């Protein structure tokens, strides 16, 4: 028996003492697809050429060499990252990752044709796709407003783009046999004191109504809307705030996207799940790590991440919560950033699955809060890593941090050859 098998067998017995079935947990874990975001690989730049752009606060910082300069490079990097991540996962694309063959294709005119390569590649690699209209980094977004603009022509432009995006999403879902979540985020907001907070929100709601007017089979496409508290250049007002989109999602029964970096720093999205899931059909998560603000740091096994995982598992929400990632760090190896963030998210889910939840809930109901706290604390030092390494082995990926050796080799052979 190998060391890993031996450690696993012992760990399994230790968890069994708490009535935790480790094999059952691993069986459930392998069916959870994390939606990995494509934009970590190229610093949220994309591959169309749109001329003069305003960044609207979406900016990766750092200049680590090896940014994916072409769709082929990005696809290779995604596959490299996924080869080090246990399980089968999804990729979330943005409209700005369209492949236009050198032709200028306006965002309001984008079609599934520009995503054929992505869809073919996803099919070959058994990767589900999710999608996002790109309502930023574009001359038509230079005012800082899109769907909520005072200018009807600007609103119409982005309405057309979002409708086109839903059709692309539906095409992806149809081609791949798994519904695509098309998530709408717009930057609309003001840097400084406002005179009218009402009108842009009314426009935004009207625009969204037009975007979502045509029903699409939920087997192909699911619509999500993403709120935000503030951004760079929209410190004082964001039209699509939490109240705005919570209300919109409840009223229209679309998915609500909760981004971990989009709330006040002391507010955690984990606590929101059991409330919003009473009123919206499903939730999309943008798991991220804010440092002092919505800085989109690489996700690690932090307390907030663990709480998110606990809430999903304790609440039995796996069928209604879609776990997507949203971070971008250009100061470290970008492929490693994906691997660190995605492995951490999967680890947090496994950790949550190895909790004696029933026991804890019994303590709670019986008002034995001492035992509840004591047991939660004890679980933190259970032989979790033995199960994690075994699971990785089962899924044919390195269990311990030797995965970094493969990253180093890829950096030397592939990434360092890029400008
Ligand atoms: C921006 C939102 C949004 C973006 C991506 C690129 O604050 O979090 O989700 O990060 O769409
Ligand atoms: Zn986000």
């Amino acid at each position: 028996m190998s060391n890993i098998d031996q450690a696993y067998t012992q760990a399994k017995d230790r968890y069994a003492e708490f009535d935790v079935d480790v094999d059952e947990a691993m069986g459930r874990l392998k069916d959870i697809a994390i939606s990995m975001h494509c934009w970590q690989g190229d610093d949220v730049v994309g591959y169309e050429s749109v001329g003069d752009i305003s960044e609207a606060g979406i900016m990766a910082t750092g200049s680590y060499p090896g940014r994916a300069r072409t769709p082929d490079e990005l696809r290779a990097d995604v596959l490299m990252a996924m080869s080090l991540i246990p399980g089968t996962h999804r990729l979330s694309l943005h409209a700005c990752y369209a492949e236009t063959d050198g032709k200028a294709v306006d965002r309001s005119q984008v079609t599934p044709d520009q995503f054929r390569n992505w869809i073919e590649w996803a099919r070959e690699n058994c990767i589900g796709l999710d999608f996002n209209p790109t309502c930023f980094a574009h001359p038509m977004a230079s005012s800082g407003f899109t769907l909520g603009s005072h200018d009807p022509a600007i609103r119409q432009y982005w309405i057309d783009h979002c409708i086109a995006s839903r059709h692309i999403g539906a095409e992806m879902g149809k081609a791949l046999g798994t519904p695509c979540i098309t998530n709408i985020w717009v930057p609309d907001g003001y840097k400084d004191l406002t005179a009218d907070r009402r009108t842009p929100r009314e426009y935004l709601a009207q625009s969204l109504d037009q975007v979502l007017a045509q029903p699409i089979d939920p087997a192909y496409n699911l619509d999500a809307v993403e709120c935000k508290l503030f951004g760079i250049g929209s410190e004082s007002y964001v039209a699509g705030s939490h109240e705005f989109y919570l209300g919109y999602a409840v009223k229209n029964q679309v998915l609500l996207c909760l981004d971990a970096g989009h709330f006040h720093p002391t507010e955690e999205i984990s606590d929101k799940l059991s409330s919003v899931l009473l009123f919206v059909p499903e939730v999309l998560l943008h798991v991220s790590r804010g440092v002092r603000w919505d800085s989109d740091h690489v996700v690690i096994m932090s307390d907030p991440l663990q709480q998110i995982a606990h809430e999903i598992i304790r609440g039995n929400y796996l069928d209604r919560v879609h776990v997507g990632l949203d971070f971008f760090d250009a100061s470290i190896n970008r492929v490693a950033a994906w691997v660190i963030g995605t492995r951490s998210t999967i680890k947090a889910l496994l950790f949550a699955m190895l909790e004696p939840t029933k026991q804890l809930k019994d303590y709670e109901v019986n008002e034995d809060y001492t035992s509840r706290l004591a047991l939660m604390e004890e679980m933190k030092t259970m032989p979790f890593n033995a199960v994690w390494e075994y699971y990785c082995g089962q899924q044919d990926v390195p269990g311990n941090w030797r995965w970094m050796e493969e990253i180093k080799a890829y950096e030397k052979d592939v990434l360092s050859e890029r400008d």
Side-chain angles (χ1 to χ4, degrees), residues 44-58 94-98 100 104-110 133-146 153-162 185 187-188:
V44 212
V45 176
Y47 300 112
E48 356 129 78
S49 150
V50 292
D52 228 8
I53 55 167
S54 109
E55 290 295 341
I58 305 289
H94 244 280
C96 61
Y97 291 79
T100 61
V105 176
D106 203 81
R107 280 205 198 150
S108 61
Q109 307 293 323
V110 67
T134 311
C135 304
F136 55 86
H138 191 279
M140 287 295 268
S142 59
S143 67
F145 278 86
T146 61
I154 291 180
R155 289 204 301 277
Q156 192 57 53
Y157 182 85
W158 293 108
I159 289 169
D160 292 344
H161 175 58
C162 289
W185 173 77
D188 301 29

Side-chain angles (χ1 to χ4, degrees), residues 39 183 185 226 257 259 262 286 296 326:
W39 50 93
N183 175 49
W185 173 77
E226 180 178 1
C257 173
D259 184 311
H262 286 194
H286 270 189
D296 291 288
D326 184 7

Side-chain angles (χ1 to χ4, degrees), residues 29 32-38 40 77-78 80-92 287-288 297-301 305 323-327 334-350 388 391-392 397 403:
L29 186 64
I32 304 179
I34 307 289
S35 184
M36 216 171 85
H37 54 313
C38 76
Q40 164 60 59
D77 291 358
V78 167
M80 179 64 207
M82 285 186 171
S83 76
L84 301 173
I85 296 167
T88 306
H89 301 288
R90 307 174 64 86
L91 186 73
S92 182
V287 180
S288 190
H297 276 64
V298 178
V299 167
I300 56 170
M301 259 188 100
L305 174 67
V323 184
L325 305 176
D326 184 7
F327 51 79
R334 292 170 186 79
V335 181
W338 265 322
V339 178
I340 295 165
T342 315
R343 281 174 71 111
S344 299
T345 305
I346 299 167
K347 264 190 217 171
L349 286 164
L350 178 61
W388 168 250
Y391 176 70
C392 288
V397 306
W403 62 264

Side-chain angles (χ1 to χ4, degrees), residues 42 64 80 131 139 345:
D42 79 322
Y64 201 86
M80 179 64 207
F131 200 60
T345 305

Side-chain angles (χ1 to χ4, degrees), residues 162-384:
C162 289
I163 291 175
S165 295
R166 292 181 75 221
H167 289 304
I168 295 167
E171 198 62 28
M172 289 173 165
K174 202 184 228 172
L176 300 172
T178 166
C180 168
I181 300 184
T182 299
N183 175 49
I184 302 177
W185 173 77
V186 298
D188 301 29
Y190 286 120
K191 182 186 179 80
D192 215 335
L193 303 183
T194 56
D196 178 4
R197 300 172 90 83
R198 175 176 174 168
T199 309
R201 286 186 170 138
E202 289 177 346
Y203 284 145
L204 179 54
Q206 286 163 18
S207 297
L208 288 166
D209 286 349
Q210 290 190 51
V211 168
L212 301 172
Q214 189 191 333
I216 296 184
D217 188 338
Y220 301 147
N221 182 72
L222 297 168
D223 300 293
V225 288
E226 180 178 1
C227 69
K228 188 164 178 169
L229 177 64
F230 81 94
I232 294 183
S234 62
E235 289 82 354
S236 302
Y237 170 77
V238 167
S241 60
H242 181 47
E243 291 72 12
F244 177 92
Y245 278 124
L246 179 60
Y248 194 88
V250 170
K251 182 175 171 197
N252 297 285
Q253 290 299 295
V254 293
L255 278 67
L256 184 69
C257 173
L258 296 171
D259 184 311
H262 286 194
F263 294 87
H264 189 279
T266 62
E267 220 177 328
E268 287 181 16
I269 59 170
S270 49
D271 181 48
K272 301 182 189 301
L273 289 176
S274 50
S275 295
V276 303
L277 283 166
L278 285 171
F279 307 109
V280 300
E282 293 172 37
V283 161
L284 169 66
L285 296 180
H286 270 189
V287 180
S288 190
R289 176 167 58 106
V291 176
R292 303 196 189 281
W293 68 290
D294 179 30
S295 56
D296 291 288
H297 276 64
V298 178
V299 167
I300 56 170
M301 259 188 100
S302 60
D303 282 355
L305 174 67
Q306 197 53 63
Q307 286 311 320
I308 291 169
H310 276 313
E311 282 305 305
I312 297 174
I313 302 304
R314 290 174 188 159
N316 210 6
Y317 291 129
L318 272 174
D319 53 341
R320 293 173 64 204
V321 175
H322 306 266
V323 184
L325 305 176
D326 184 7
F327 51 79
F328 28 96
D329 190 337
S331 74
I332 61 174
N333 181 306
R334 292 170 186 79
V335 181
W338 265 322
V339 178
I340 295 165
T342 315
R343 281 174 71 111
S344 299
T345 305
I346 299 167
K347 264 190 217 171
L349 286 164
L350 178 61
F351 189 84
M353 287 173 162
L354 298 183
E355 175 190 79
T357 308
K358 176 154 185 326
Q359 175 79 70
L360 290 170
K361 286 182 180 173
D362 285 349
Y363 286 142
E364 191 162 282
V365 170
N366 294 315
E367 297 177 25
D368 184 356
Y369 306 135
T370 316
S371 299
R372 181 183 64 182
L373 184 64
L375 181 53
M376 280 183 180
E377 202 52 21
E378 282 303 312
M379 293 318 288
K380 291 182 184 168
T381 45
M382 287 287 284
F384 170 72

